[in-house]
Amino acid sequence: MDEILISIIVPIYNVQDFLPKCIESILHQTYSNLQIILVDDGSTDDSGKICDKFAEFDNRILVLHKRNGGLVSARKAGLNIAKGLYTGFVDGDDYIDDNMYEKLLQNIIVTEADFVHSGFFRERLRVAEFVNELISLKDNKVKFINDYLLSVDNEVHITPSIWSKLFQTDFIKKCYYKVPDDVSMGEDLVNLILCALYGNKVSILDSAYYHYNVRNTSITHIKKDTALIDVIRLFQVIEDILKESNFYTKVKDTLLKEWLRAVISDALLQTASDDFKREYYGIGDMAQLLGKKIILFGAGKVGRDYYSQICRYSKCQIVAWIDSNYQNIHYECTEVVGKEFLKEADYDVLLIAIKDERNVSNIKESLVTEEGVDADKIIWMKPICH
């Protein structure tokens, strides 16, 4: 196995504060036969210099400096010079566990899958848990696209992120080259739909190795003004791919009724002048909260909607709104604080405000073991989509 070369492509744009940790995590992989391709996509900070400095001390690193063309073009530029039998991707502001590519390589060799998928961590908390599974796509493409990629509420839904996976290089080149360069939102979903259409087997691992860094200034957090336009473009691309492959009518219901409805709602939330003006997620059983002093945990889309609803009830009191990423969350009407507030707070209920039930157990365990929260005070209700 040590003779197999893995290419790792790192698209980079103005991430100088995070880049050293990212590169070091790749250099420290327990599997060392790597081709590390750092693609500087026209950075205006010191990211390019950092890449060059690392390349001086490790001959596995190749640095490619190019004019800014966006994330898709940067990844394609890396794919153009990828020589490994397998290829993985790491974004320049994230980092990975030391054994990530050793584990993914072992699995993809044994299963002979076109790609292997694994989980990831956000703010030290694991996002979603899966069942170890080898899926044949030959006769299950429709089910895989419907249930695993487009369905909003299906528990087997997997993250479309390209960076949580390892691909056969020839396979990912065939798929990713078909992703249009101008897709600035959902490009990973487009790629994964193409992988489902062209692939034979996908392996899913109940393990997590990737650490995703949430930044309000990252490319995925600065599209407020063009959110709806980006959604329309993304839908057009997905629609064209599915129609060209004669799969559109087979997944149309899920695409329109679940996926499109959800992403349009997200886009409207992003473009709204008031973060709390439009609600999408309803609280399942408000009776559990009446007359209670509440800590709301989670300040994402679900948390925002919960906050608006709870505030309308005079019999409820929000003691604090807490989020692990509170430093990057700013609302004019209220303040979001960190978990340290839990030590001194007087409350009856801690309401976890997230959509995916698969993440609840990890969050609850962290709150109990690390923050000393009484497990009996923690509740989660499946959000109701309006």
Side-chain angles (χ1 to χ4, degrees), residues 100 104 116-120 126 130 159 161 163-166 203-210:
M100 175 170 173
L104 296 187
V116 53
H117 164 84
S118 61
F120 69 98
R126 180 172 170 179
F130 307 98
T159 51
S161 51
W163 34 253
S164 58
K165 301 167 178 63
L166 181 66
S203 177
I204 297 178
L205 275 181
D206 182 26
S207 303
Y209 310 100
Y210 193 97

Side-chain angles (χ1 to χ4, degrees), residues 158-338:
I158 66 174
T159 51
S161 51
I162 199 172
W163 34 253
S164 58
K165 301 167 178 63
L166 181 66
F167 301 85
Q168 292 191 30
T169 298
D170 289 343
F171 176 73
I172 190 58
K173 285 183 177 182
K174 178 181 180 180
C175 298
Y176 203 79
Y177 283 153
K178 292 183 179 293
V179 179
D181 287 1
D182 67 338
V183 177
S184 58
M185 168 192 171
E187 66 285 336
D188 285 359
L189 176 60
V190 174
N191 171 68
L192 207 56
I193 289 174
L194 288 162
C195 287
L197 293 173
Y198 292 123
N200 293 314
K201 282 192 291 186
V202 54
S203 177
I204 297 178
L205 275 181
D206 182 26
S207 303
Y209 310 100
Y210 193 97
H211 295 262
Y212 174 72
N213 183 37
V214 180
R215 296 191 300 126
N216 280 356
T217 55
S218 72
I219 191 171
T220 56
H221 290 83
I222 56 176
K223 302 175 181 176
K224 185 171 183 176
D225 294 338
T226 62
L228 281 172
I229 296 174
D230 292 340
V231 166
I232 294 170
R233 174 58 179 152
L234 175 59
F235 175 75
Q236 289 174 336
V237 170
I238 293 174
E239 183 183 43
D240 288 345
I241 289 171
L242 291 171
K243 285 183 176 178
E244 182 180 341
S245 304
N246 295 318
F247 275 88
Y248 180 73
T249 56
K250 301 173 184 177
V251 301
K252 179 180 177 181
D253 284 350
T254 307
L255 179 67
L256 298 179
K257 294 178 181 178
E258 291 193 48
W259 179 84
L260 186 59
R261 181 169 173 262
V263 294
I264 288 178
S265 178
D266 287 348
L268 290 173
L269 285 171
Q270 290 185 51
T271 57
S273 58
D274 181 351
D275 289 311
F276 301 88
K277 185 174 290 184
R278 174 181 168 82
E279 295 174 10
Y280 181 71
Y281 296 105
I283 297 174
D285 182 8
M286 195 66 202
Q288 293 189 56
L289 305 177
L290 295 178
K292 302 289 177 46
K293 291 181 288 187
I294 304 162
I295 282 185
L296 186 61
F297 189 87
K301 291 185 284 291
V302 177
R304 287 201 305 260
D305 289 357
Y306 279 14
Y307 180 88
S308 297
Q309 293 164 70
I310 294 171
C311 285
R312 292 199 291 266
Y313 286 81
S314 60
K315 293 183 180 180
C316 296
Q317 176 190 354
I318 295 181
V319 175
W321 194 1
I322 294 177
D323 194 280
S324 300
N325 189 42
Y326 73 98
Q327 301 97 326
N328 294 321
I329 300 173
H330 305 285
Y331 297 131
E332 292 183 4
C333 66
T334 189
E335 180 183 13
V336 180
V337 298

Side-chain angles (χ1 to χ4, degrees), residues 347-352 360 363-365 367-368 373-380:
Y347 60 97
D348 303 310
V349 170
L350 187 150
L351 175 61
I352 297 177
V360 174
I363 294 174
K364 185 173 181 178
E365 180 181 359
L367 290 170
V368 172
V373 176
D374 183 348
D376 292 335
K377 290 186 175 183
I378 302 174
I379 63 173
W380 175 84

Side-chain angles (χ1 to χ4, degrees), residues 109-123:
I109 290 174
V110 171
T111 61
E112 299 182 331
D114 297 296
F115 66 97
V116 53
H117 164 84
S118 61
F120 69 98
F121 296 90
R122 180 192 289 124
E123 302 296 333

